[in-house]
Amino acid sequence: MRLTRTLEERLVALYRQTKVVGGLFRSLGQEADAVGSAYALERRDILSPLIRNLGAMLVKGATPLEILRQYMAKGDSPTRGRELNIHFGDTERGFIGQISPLGDMVPVMAGVTLTFKMRGEDRVGLVYVGDGATSTGAFHEGINFAAVQRCPLVVIVENNGYAYSTPIAKQTAARQFVDKALGYGVPGEQADGNDVLAVYDATKRAVDRARRGEGVTLLELMTYRRKGHAEHDNQSYVPDGEIDRWARENDPVDRYIARLVGEFSFTKTDLEAVDDRVSREVDEATDLAEQSGPPEALDALTGVYAEPPSAEPLWFREGTGGVVDRHERAEGWGTYSAIEEH
Amino acid sequence: MRLTRTLEERLVALYRQTKVVGGLFRSLGQEADAVGSAYALERRDILSPLIRNLGAMLVKGATPLEILRQYMAKGDSPTRGRELNIHFGDTERGFIGQISPLGDMVPVMAGVTLTFKMRGEDRVGLVYVGDGATSTGAFHEGINFAAVQRCPLVVIVENNGYAYSTPIAKQTAARQFVDKALGYGVPGEQADGNDVLAVYDATKRAVDRARRGEGVTLLELMTYRRKGHAEHDNQSYVPDGEIDRWARENDPVDRYIARLVGEFSFTKTDLEAVDDRVSREVDEATDLAEQSGPPEALDALTGVYAEPPSAEPLWFREGTGGVVDRHERAEGWGTYSAIEEH
Amino acid sequence: MAEITYLEAIREALFEEMERDPNVFCMGEDIGRYGGAFKVTDGLLDKFGEQRVIDTPISEIGIVGAAAGAGHMGMRPVVEMQFIDFLANAYDILTNYVATARYRAFLPCPMVVRGPSGGYVRGGPFHSQNPEAGFVHTPGLKVVYPATAEDAKGLLKSAIRDDDCVLFFEHKYLYRRIKGQMPAGDHTVPIGKARVAREGRDLSIITYASTVWKALEAAELLEKEDGLSVEVIDLRTLAPLDDEAIQATVRKTNRVLIVHEDTRTGGLAGEITARINERSFAWLDAPVLRVTAHDVPLPYAPPLEDFVLPQTADVVRAARTLAAY
Amino acid sequence: MAEITYLEAIREALFEEMERDPNVFCMGEDIGRYGGAFKVTDGLLDKFGEQRVIDTPISEIGIVGAAAGAGHMGMRPVVEMQFIDFLANAYDILTNYVATARYRAFLPCPMVVRGPSGGYVRGGPFHSQNPEAGFVHTPGLKVVYPATAEDAKGLLKSAIRDDDCVLFFEHKYLYRRIKGQMPAGDHTVPIGKARVAREGRDLSIITYASTVWKALEAAELLEKEDGLSVEVIDLRTLAPLDDEAIQATVRKTNRVLIVHEDTRTGGLAGEITARINERSFAWLDAPVLRVTAHDVPLPYAPPLEDFVLPQTADVVRAARTLAAY
Ligand SMILES: Cc1ncc(C[n+]2csc(CCOP(=O)(O)OP(=O)(O)O)c2C)c(N)n1
Ligand SMILES: Cc1ncc(C[n+]2csc(CCOP(=O)(O)OP(=O)(O)O)c2C)c(N)n1
Ligand SMILES: [Mg+2]
Ligand SMILES: [Mg+2]
């Protein structure tokens, strides 16, 4: 959580220096739900994060250097500059990159975990959706498919109060998202998303269920988005005082530190050691990331298909050589016999 | 119900004579849910039927003649031969025609009833979906939208046990479809779909709720599809004896007649009078329908847009006149000055 | 009167049409209090209230379907896609339900689906698309894609008054970058009519949306450096295409370059080329050529995006080739 | 060996590939016990069991998305759309997720989406479509549409082995109407290669799927009645298009007619015309012309459907015009 927060703060600084290309998305105040849930998985398990699940990706082994390069559109970023912010993945390390159209990852993860089941592999999948994304057809079709197939999949609804500017009362008439579980015939559970240990416990129960072959669980984690949808959003639609109250009374990092100190007798030195390590890591990563260059333009044409591995630059592009010269249709060409001779 | 059944039986006869163009869809054993629910609406209300809701359309004023013409692809059918089977509607009489892609009518009816609400009209909408169609993204997005907007809409899940060959256990892991209500934050009710009076009562409660401004109700009607998906389907996937059992023990027409006779002291003569009237009506309609001709080919090009009212036949079509002759580019044409002169 | 931006022109059209006709209302994600992701609908809620400016769940099928239903009942809904890319999520209901409703069921769908489209803004693969081709291909839909502020306003007003569904593409790169002077009064621009953005004699560039500006830049440069007189046709409406305007420019200059920001294969340039072949082949002194994006998803990093999308220099180079043919 | 139908050829390909590779499995609505709406998958369940022949809920997004996920994990899913028209319901996940996965995330999607397409069967507006244009327009997808039983089998086997997503269109009019002799052994047909269905000298018809047969009928008649020698090119693969085969036939006969069953505006004929212009303009002795469906939703009644869709007589008439140009 500390790493998530420090790294995002660094990104804000870089954003202000216009070193981030495009928008910046924060998970301030939601770090616990991402981190706590990801820790409930084993290395071999696969999760599919949202834009606000930076913490889950870090748990799964994504590095600050990757994140920084990606946000800065570097040529050696994990997607070589093809995708933005934290849209990237690595099936080896166990996370699959997100896609903008909301909800689509639910059916995709249904297929990932269907494969685990078909192959008898002892693996579990976890897919996050926002409160807003529950309104999409993809969410519905995906979770229903997984429920019927009893795929080993945990579906986490990360209820952070808003979808962009839209409060949940305009997203659903249901009292809570966990109420949707019944309609899919799967167990549902709700947990305090800002209590990292509660998140871990609830996710672990769902993961265990999936691993035992009991299929899908819908888990609603209650949290709060303290920043705007992205950095440019001034949150004018948020009632006065709401953000402050959450910051003051329900910050997941503060709460975890309080427990570490109170229940697990962490000392100030212990905590400072963590902070130092994190700062150092992020500093080093920033230095390295800044050194990388942008991608090579021609790389834009590679890898649409396995075969052919690359497209050709179009003829009108400087340096392609291939301009359309006046066609040469030889005298007589164009009759059947003429072509026979050629 | 008697009319529905007799009309469908006539259609089977015409189908066997190959006078029906395309497939034939039956609602045998499900007549009560269509008829009972439609009767719970007022004239000014609007419903959107499924292929198996012939009964609801008849209640809303569709005529046997229209149905027969449509099935026989006649030029004076309600869609002038554009659409098949019972895919047609009439907003004046209060029903909107169905479309093949399942679930799409749910958001459409959300918009119809949103309009009632916006205009303060005292009108209600009713949309039917099959058990299979509940798995579509359109169903989900539509009912959720209507629930949030508190549209005066009744959503009936017509649970007839199968979606084509797929039994409900492969459609959903939920124990019952009415369980989905909670996840949309709307009241849910389940009723015996083969008891026409129970259907009426349950629908009436939902309609009243909608009319009082209390929004959406999800109503699950339990019934059984005794025929195949369409006439060509031999139902080999149905467990032995299942169909017979329903026919013997739970036929909606038999059950209604038993009540009419038992509770409402209808006599044999009363019932025969109904049968006679129905037979006569269907006979007359059949005679008339058979006399109609097919549509005019050129009508195929009209009415894609309000403006222009019709497309032109393409040049290569016999009788269009307009073939592509060798273009005439006059001598000198093609310089700026040449065109100036023309 | 002061000049206003392309974005403000769209907003003005919404305000005016909602004032004019009580049946016009708006729906979309975050269009109310927040004023929309690009602030196009800013101020609408205050003026017209929650009944006519509806914030919806994230449900493109739901929104488009509800618009159709409202249209059947005589309303004139204007729905916003937060990004036009999300038309893909409503593809079935748009192409199967909305596009066919009048034809198969005599049900009108007077509705507008509008939203920010196009690239050159580092938006990555899902916030930069130009998905017009799939809809131009669908009988029953109309498609409009203005390049100027004047047309943005005038065409949106016409779209809202149209009795059929109009997909109204707004180029997000142009939102705040270009301005125009709005004609006084009830300014409408007819759907289905192209615009001669620049008169010329030697060759024609047929284009629309963002690349109209690249074409104009190229024309300027070609005039200065090569003495070439280039005509630029801004299609404005993509469905129905203005066939007369297309044939007229071909017959005038005899050399045609089609430019679009969309990817190459299956993009609109093909359709236009076919129409030119059919009706004006004999007037062609050279092949119809096209400058388009490369056939790849649109990448995000500046050097990549710039490489994939058509640039002014590409238009210049292609035009020179064509002129020399 | 006996001849088998186009439909049986597809079924054979499924059986053989599932036997060959344990990673191949099938998903779709009613494909198991029932054997699919057209019985294409009949017998698969008995042979391969419920694990590898999965009856799904009515969820095109769910099915296509799940196939992509399974593909990422090394499986080779083959999913059936009950009618290819329902690709529209999965348009977002196909064009945004599946088509871009390799490019933006280095995730392979080796998967096939297959299903019955096309008209001439009184199927009405939603069971007769030819929606290939929207997918040919999407970089990252491959599109195959065979006309013969041999190609149906050979191309499906290649599609299943392909490392990217292949949309496999099956023409339902051809399912039981045409037959072919399957070559012995492991018969595959390469994706991306067109086929010369008939050699000719005087003009070329470029086409695919159902209209290959109409073109062949027309060619026969034109030979007999007009003494015209007509070449017929069956594209077979629509994405990627076989550019070499297209240019070769243009340069041979100098007159080209493109025929497709899909509607006109935005259909594939435009793309092909553009490619011919770009590379073989000087070889053209006449405009590239096209015979297509009319731009309307496909109506159901026989006289209407017959009027809207291209018929053999249309091809004959257009070919005569072209030959006389
Ligand atoms: C299908 C679709 N429609 C619209 C959008 C635009 N959009 C991006 S994020 C967002 C809000 C998401 O809210 P939520 O799911 O609650 O996630 P959060 O941002 O709160 O984490 C919207 C509307 C999208 N990405 N996909
Ligand atoms: C989106 C979509 N997918 C697939 C189909 C093909 N299809 C037509 S009817 C049907 C079964 C419908 O079952 P259900 O909803 O239970 O209705 P019932 O036929 O039982 O009344 C299917 C799969 C379709 N029409 N639309
Ligand atoms: Mg949220
Ligand atoms: Mg059913």
Side-chain angles (χ1 to χ4, degrees):
Chain A
M1 289 194 280
R2 171 53 66 202
L3 179 57
T4 310
R5 190 165 290 186
T6 305
L7 180 52
E8 284 189 5
E9 281 160 3
R10 176 61 46 86
L11 283 163
V12 173
L14 292 165
Y15 179 81
R16 299 226 168 99
Q17 298 167 43
T18 68
K19 286 182 179 163
V20 162
V21 180
L24 173 61
F25 296 79
R26 298 291 306 277
S27 65
L28 182 70
Q30 307 182 211
E31 297 92 341
D33 85 56
V35 169
S37 53
Y39 268 117
L41 293 179
E42 303 291 327
R43 271 193 80 86
R44 63 185 180 282
D45 298 332
I46 291 191
L47 64 77
S48 160
L50 295 173
I51 192 110
R52 281 180 235 293
N53 296 126
L54 171 58
M57 289 168 69
L58 294 171
V59 171
K60 267 299 193 182
T63 67
L65 180 58
E66 288 177 305
I67 306 288
L68 289 160
R69 283 178 172 158
Q70 176 91 352
Y71 256 116
M72 296 161 83
K74 300 294 193 179
D76 52 7
S77 82
T79 63
R80 304 206 307 255
R82 286 150 189 237
E83 257 282 22
L84 29 73
N85 54 58
I86 62 170
H87 283 196
F88 70 91
D90 179 357
T91 38
E92 288 304 308
R93 282 178 283 175
F95 60 108
I96 288 187
Q98 46 282 78
I99 180 177
S100 299
L102 296 166
D104 283 6
M105 297 311 297
V106 183
V108 171
M109 287 303 292
V112 166
T113 51
L114 178 69
T115 305
F116 296 163
K117 197 189 93 176
M118 288 171 80
R119 290 194 174 146
E121 291 176 355
D122 179 35
R123 298 168 77 185
V124 165
L126 166 59
V127 62
Y128 301 87
V129 286
D131 42 278
T134 62
S135 301
T136 61
F139 163 77
H140 175 70
E141 296 197 6
I143 188 172
N144 185 58
F145 181 102
V148 173
Q149 287 297 325
R150 293 180 79 80
C151 296
L153 178 64
V154 179
V155 179
I156 290 186
V157 177
E158 193 176 45
N159 181 350
N160 63 3
Y162 292 91
Y164 212 140
S165 75
T166 305
I168 36 192
K170 292 198 170 164
Q171 201 65 243
T172 179
R175 280 187 311 125
Q176 43 189 8
F177 289 98
V178 69
D179 285 350
K180 292 185 183 290
L182 191 69
Y184 298 112
V186 303
E189 189 171 341
Q190 202 183 50
D192 178 347
N194 283 9
D195 176 349
V196 68
L197 300 180
V199 169
Y200 175 84
D201 288 343
T203 313
K204 189 73 170 58
R205 279 189 292 277
V207 166
D208 288 348
R209 224 176 268 132
R211 220 181 288 286
R212 285 196 304 269
E214 294 169 26
V216 175
T217 300
L218 182 71
L219 184 59
E220 178 178 9
L221 298 178
M222 308 302 291
T223 182
Y224 185 80
R225 198 194 74 200
R226 272 159 48 198
K227 286 302 206 171
H229 175 63
E231 270 308 280
H232 68 266
D233 165 5
N234 68 7
Q235 293 175 281
S236 56
Y237 48 85
V238 176
D240 275 353
E242 190 178 270
I243 298 168
D244 284 353
R245 200 170 59 250
W246 280 85
R248 233 179 313 112
E249 298 169 14
N250 203 344
D251 180 79
V253 177
D254 291 351
R255 283 177 67 187
Y256 187 46
I257 289 176
R259 286 191 72 174
L260 285 177
V261 174
E263 292 173 39
F264 303 96
S265 48
F266 266 54
T267 64
K268 209 168 159 247
T269 339
D270 294 337
L271 293 170
E272 280 172 5
V274 171
D275 288 353
D276 285 352
R277 187 159 47 74
V278 163
S279 299
R280 215 175 323 113
E281 202 178 333
V282 173
D283 284 345
E284 282 169 19
T286 310
D287 289 346
L288 261 179
E290 300 224 38
Q291 287 163 32
S292 306
E296 287 295 331
L298 268 174
D299 190 50
L301 301 186
T302 65
V304 177
Y305 298 98
E307 202 42 56
S310 183
E312 292 292 310
L314 291 171
W315 65 271
F316 49 74
R317 185 54 56 90
E318 197 85 44
T320 55
V323 292
V324 177
D325 289 324
R326 190 169 179 94
H327 300 132
E328 290 156 52
R329 176 172 168 181
E331 210 49 54
W333 184 279
T335 65
Y336 188 68
S337 50
I339 212 177
E340 290 290 68
E341 289 157 24
H342 282 77
Chain B
M1 290 194 283
R2 170 54 66 201
L3 179 57
T4 310
R5 191 165 290 184
T6 305
L7 181 52
E8 286 189 2
E9 280 161 4
R10 176 61 47 85
L11 282 163
V12 172
L14 292 165
Y15 179 82
R16 299 226 170 100
Q17 297 165 43
T18 68
K19 287 182 178 163
V20 162
V21 180
L24 173 61
F25 296 79
R26 300 291 307 277
S27 66
L28 181 70
Q30 305 183 211
E31 296 92 343
D33 84 57
V35 170
S37 54
Y39 268 115
L41 293 179
E42 302 293 327
R43 270 193 81 87
R44 62 186 180 282
D45 299 333
I46 291 192
L47 63 78
S48 161
L50 295 173
I51 191 108
R52 279 180 236 294
N53 296 126
L54 172 57
M57 291 168 68
L58 294 171
V59 171
K60 268 296 192 184
T63 66
L65 180 57
E66 289 178 303
I67 305 289
L68 289 161
R69 283 178 173 158
Q70 176 91 353
Y71 257 116
M72 293 160 84
K74 299 294 191 180
D76 52 8
S77 82
T79 63
R80 304 206 306 255
R82 285 147 191 241
E83 257 280 25
L84 28 74
N85 52 60
I86 62 170
H87 284 196
F88 71 92
D90 179 358
T91 38
E92 288 306 309
R93 282 179 282 175
F95 60 107
I96 288 187
Q98 45 283 77
I99 182 180
S100 298
L102 296 166
D104 283 6
M105 297 312 297
V106 183
V108 170
M109 287 304 293
V112 166
T113 53
L114 177 70
T115 305
F116 296 161
K117 196 188 93 176
M118 288 172 80
R119 292 195 175 149
E121 291 175 354
D122 179 35
R123 297 167 79 185
V124 165
L126 166 60
V127 62
Y128 301 87
V129 287
D131 42 278
T134 61
S135 301
T136 62
F139 163 79
H140 175 71
E141 296 197 6
I143 189 171
N144 184 59
F145 182 102
V148 172
Q149 287 297 325
R150 292 179 79 80
C151 296
L153 179 63
V154 180
V155 180
I156 289 185
V157 177
E158 193 176 45
N159 182 350
N160 64 2
Y162 292 90
Y164 212 141
S165 75
T166 305
I168 37 191
K170 291 197 170 166
Q171 200 64 244
T172 179
R175 278 186 313 125
Q176 43 189 8
F177 289 98
V178 69
D179 285 351
K180 293 185 182 290
L182 191 70
Y184 298 113
V186 302
E189 189 172 340
Q190 202 181 52
D192 179 347
N194 284 10
D195 176 348
V196 69
L197 300 180
V199 169
Y200 174 85
D201 289 342
T203 313
K204 191 69 171 56
R205 278 189 292 277
V207 166
D208 289 347
R209 223 176 269 133
R211 220 181 288 285
R212 286 197 304 268
E214 294 170 26
V216 175
T217 301
L218 181 71
L219 183 59
E220 178 178 10
L221 299 179
M222 308 302 291
T223 182
Y224 185 80
R225 198 194 74 201
R226 270 159 48 199
K227 286 302 206 171
H229 174 63
E231 270 308 279
H232 67 266
D233 167 4
N234 67 9
Q235 294 175 282
S236 56
Y237 49 85
V238 176
D240 274 351
E242 192 178 89
I243 300 169
D244 284 350
R245 201 172 56 251
W246 280 85
R248 233 180 312 112
E249 299 168 12
N250 203 344
D251 180 78
V253 178
D254 290 351
R255 284 177 65 186
Y256 187 47
I257 289 178
R259 285 191 72 174
L260 286 177
V261 174
E263 292 173 40
F264 303 96
S265 48
F266 265 53
T267 63
K268 211 171 155 240
T269 339
D270 294 336
L271 293 170
E272 279 171 6
V274 173
D275 288 354
D276 285 351
R277 188 161 46 73
V278 163
S279 298
R280 214 174 325 113
E281 203 178 332
V282 173
D283 283 346
E284 282 168 20
T286 309
D287 288 347
L288 261 178
E290 300 224 36
Q291 285 162 34
S292 306
E296 287 295 328
L298 268 173
D299 189 52
L301 300 186
T302 66
V304 178
Y305 299 98
E307 202 41 58
S310 182
E312 291 293 308
L314 291 171
W315 65 270
F316 49 75
R317 183 56 52 93
E318 195 86 42
T320 55
V323 292
V324 177
D325 288 325
R326 190 169 180 98
H327 301 131
E328 289 157 56
R329 176 171 169 182
E331 211 46 55
W333 184 280
T335 65
Y336 188 69
S337 50
I339 212 175
E340 291 290 68
E341 290 156 24
H342 282 77
Chain C
M1 246 197 191
E3 294 202 316
I4 61 173
T5 63
Y6 182 95
L7 185 146
E8 288 161 343
I10 293 166
R11 189 189 293 145
E12 255 188 32
L14 290 173
F15 266 89
E16 290 180 16
E17 291 304 297
M18 285 186 76
E19 274 198 310
R20 194 187 51 79
D21 181 351
N23 290 317
V24 178
F25 73 102
C26 293
M27 290 195 283
E29 297 154 14
D30 308 293
I31 66 161
R33 175 82 65 101
Y34 190 68
F38 287 86
K39 302 283 178 195
V40 172
T41 56
D42 204 22
L44 275 192
L45 178 72
D46 285 343
K47 173 103 192 212
F48 299 103
E50 287 211 339
Q51 282 263 357
R52 292 181 68 198
V53 184
I54 301 176
D55 272 326
T56 66
I58 304 177
S59 299
E60 285 77 12
I61 310 173
I63 303 165
V64 169
H72 296 344
M73 295 292 106
M75 303 298 287
R76 292 189 172 268
V78 179
V79 313
E80 174 172 304
M81 296 281 109
Q82 196 156 90
F83 288 85
I84 212 76
D85 310 60
F86 303 127
L87 281 178
N89 299 62
Y91 197 82
D92 159 58
I93 201 150
L94 266 173
T95 63
N96 282 327
Y97 190 83
V98 173
T100 67
R102 179 182 293 281
Y103 186 76
R104 69 176 158 72
F106 314 115
L107 287 168
C109 291
M111 56 188 272
V112 174
V113 184
R114 46 160 291 276
S117 328
Y120 300 106
V121 297
R122 319 318 184 195
F126 309 112
H127 293 81
S128 308
Q129 292 176 59
N130 288 287
E132 60 271 18
F135 302 103
V136 171
H137 174 250
T138 307
L141 298 176
K142 295 184 176 180
V143 181
V144 162
Y145 204 163
T148 67
E150 294 87 333
D151 286 345
K153 180 171 179 185
L155 280 166
L156 182 52
K157 287 172 67 96
S158 296
I160 293 172
R161 298 178 196 187
D162 199 279
D163 286 330
D164 289 299
C165 175
V166 180
L167 305 186
F168 189 86
F169 285 62
E170 304 166 1
H171 204 291
K172 66 176 84 68
Y173 180 86
L174 303 179
Y175 266 158
R176 296 169 200 280
R177 283 188 181 83
I178 62 161
K179 290 192 168 191
Q181 183 88 44
M182 292 306 115
D186 185 28
H187 165 57
T188 61
V189 171
I191 289 174
K193 291 271 166 265
R195 176 178 74 95
V196 180
R198 179 188 173 108
E199 295 260 2
R201 280 181 309 255
D202 298 329
L203 73 89
S204 303
I205 300 179
I206 301 178
T207 183
Y208 58 94
S210 64
T211 44
V212 168
W213 299 99
K214 303 208 181 290
L216 288 170
E217 258 175 52
E220 198 63 39
L221 195 144
L222 288 161
E223 172 113 60
K224 281 217 195 77
E225 297 193 0
D226 306 49
L228 275 175
S229 165
V230 175
E231 177 145 307
V232 178
I233 304 293
D234 172 5
L235 290 170
R236 306 198 285 194
T237 296
L238 308 183
L241 277 170
D242 186 347
D243 227 22
E244 297 317 314
I246 293 169
Q247 309 303 337
T249 197
V250 177
R251 293 177 184 202
K252 179 173 171 190
T253 69
N254 315 103
R255 285 184 157 75
V256 184
L257 181 67
I258 306 171
V259 180
H260 61 58
E261 184 188 323
D262 186 17
T263 46
R264 189 172 192 76
T265 299
L268 269 191
E271 177 62 29
I272 298 166
T273 308
R275 291 183 180 217
I276 293 172
N277 258 262
E278 285 166 345
R279 293 189 49 199
S280 301
F281 180 73
W283 282 263
L284 287 176
D285 286 344
V288 179
L289 296 180
R290 52 185 174 166
V291 169
T292 63
H294 289 76
D295 278 340
V296 303
L298 195 64
Y300 146 72
L304 303 181
E305 183 179 29
D306 291 345
F307 187 86
V308 172
L309 292 182
Q311 307 295 343
T312 302
D314 300 325
V315 180
V316 170
R317 199 151 185 262
R320 284 185 176 141
T321 302
L322 190 60
Y325 185 93
Chain D
M1 249 197 189
E3 293 202 316
I4 60 173
T5 64
Y6 181 95
L7 185 148
E8 288 160 343
I10 293 165
R11 188 188 295 145
E12 254 188 34
L14 291 172
F15 266 89
E16 288 180 17
E17 291 304 297
M18 286 187 75
E19 275 200 307
R20 195 187 50 80
D21 181 350
N23 290 318
V24 178
F25 72 103
C26 292
M27 288 196 285
E29 297 154 14
D30 309 293
I31 64 162
R33 175 83 64 101
Y34 190 66
F38 287 86
K39 302 286 178 192
V40 173
T41 55
D42 204 23
L44 275 191
L45 177 73
D46 286 343
K47 172 104 192 211
F48 299 104
E50 288 211 337
Q51 282 264 357
R52 293 181 67 197
V53 184
I54 301 176
D55 272 325
T56 67
I58 303 176
S59 299
E60 285 76 12
I61 311 174
I63 302 166
V64 169
H72 296 343
M73 293 293 106
M75 304 298 287
R76 294 189 170 269
V78 179
V79 312
E80 174 171 304
M81 297 281 110
Q82 196 156 91
F83 287 85
I84 212 76
D85 310 58
F86 304 126
L87 280 178
N89 299 63
Y91 197 82
D92 159 59
I93 201 151
L94 264 174
T95 63
N96 283 327
Y97 190 84
V98 173
T100 66
R102 178 182 295 280
Y103 186 76
R104 69 177 159 73
F106 314 115
L107 286 167
C109 292
M111 57 189 271
V112 175
V113 184
R114 46 161 292 275
S117 327
Y120 301 106
V121 297
R122 317 319 184 195
F126 310 112
H127 292 82
S128 309
Q129 291 176 62
N130 289 286
E132 59 270 16
F135 302 103
V136 171
H137 174 249
T138 307
L141 299 178
K142 296 184 176 180
V143 181
V144 163
Y145 205 164
T148 67
E150 293 87 333
D151 286 345
K153 178 170 179 183
L155 280 166
L156 182 51
K157 287 172 68 98
S158 296
I160 293 172
R161 297 178 195 184
D162 200 279
D163 287 331
D164 289 299
C165 175
V166 180
L167 305 186
F168 190 86
F169 285 63
E170 304 167 1
H171 204 292
K172 65 175 87 67
Y173 180 86
L174 303 180
Y175 265 160
R176 295 169 200 280
R177 284 188 180 83
I178 63 161
K179 290 191 166 192
Q181 182 88 44
M182 293 305 117
D186 185 29
H187 165 57
T188 63
V189 171
I191 290 175
K193 291 272 166 266
R195 176 178 74 95
V196 181
R198 179 187 173 109
E199 296 261 3
R201 279 181 311 252
D202 299 328
L203 74 87
S204 302
I205 300 179
I206 300 178
T207 184
Y208 58 95
S210 65
T211 44
V212 168
W213 300 98
K214 303 209 180 293
L216 289 171
E217 258 175 52
E220 197 65 36
L221 194 144
L222 288 161
E223 171 114 62
K224 278 214 195 83
E225 297 192 359
D226 306 49
L228 276 175
S229 164
V230 176
E231 178 144 307
V232 177
I233 304 292
D234 171 6
L235 291 170
R236 306 198 284 196
T237 296
L238 308 182
L241 276 170
D242 187 347
D243 228 21
E244 297 316 314
I246 293 170
Q247 308 303 339
T249 196
V250 177
R251 294 178 184 200
K252 179 175 172 190
T253 68
N254 313 104
R255 284 182 158 77
V256 184
L257 181 66
I258 305 172
V259 180
H260 60 57
E261 185 189 324
D262 187 17
T263 46
R264 188 170 192 79
T265 299
L268 268 192
E271 177 62 29
I272 298 166
T273 309
R275 291 184 181 215
I276 292 172
N277 259 262
E278 286 166 345
R279 292 189 50 199
S280 301
F281 179 73
W283 280 263
L284 287 176
D285 286 344
V288 179
L289 297 179
R290 51 186 174 165
V291 168
T292 64
H294 288 78
D295 278 341
V296 303
L298 195 62
Y300 145 72
L304 303 180
E305 183 179 30
D306 290 345
F307 187 87
V308 172
L309 293 181
Q311 307 295 345
T312 302
D314 300 325
V315 180
V316 169
R317 198 150 184 261
R320 283 184 177 143
T321 302
L322 191 61
Y325 186 94

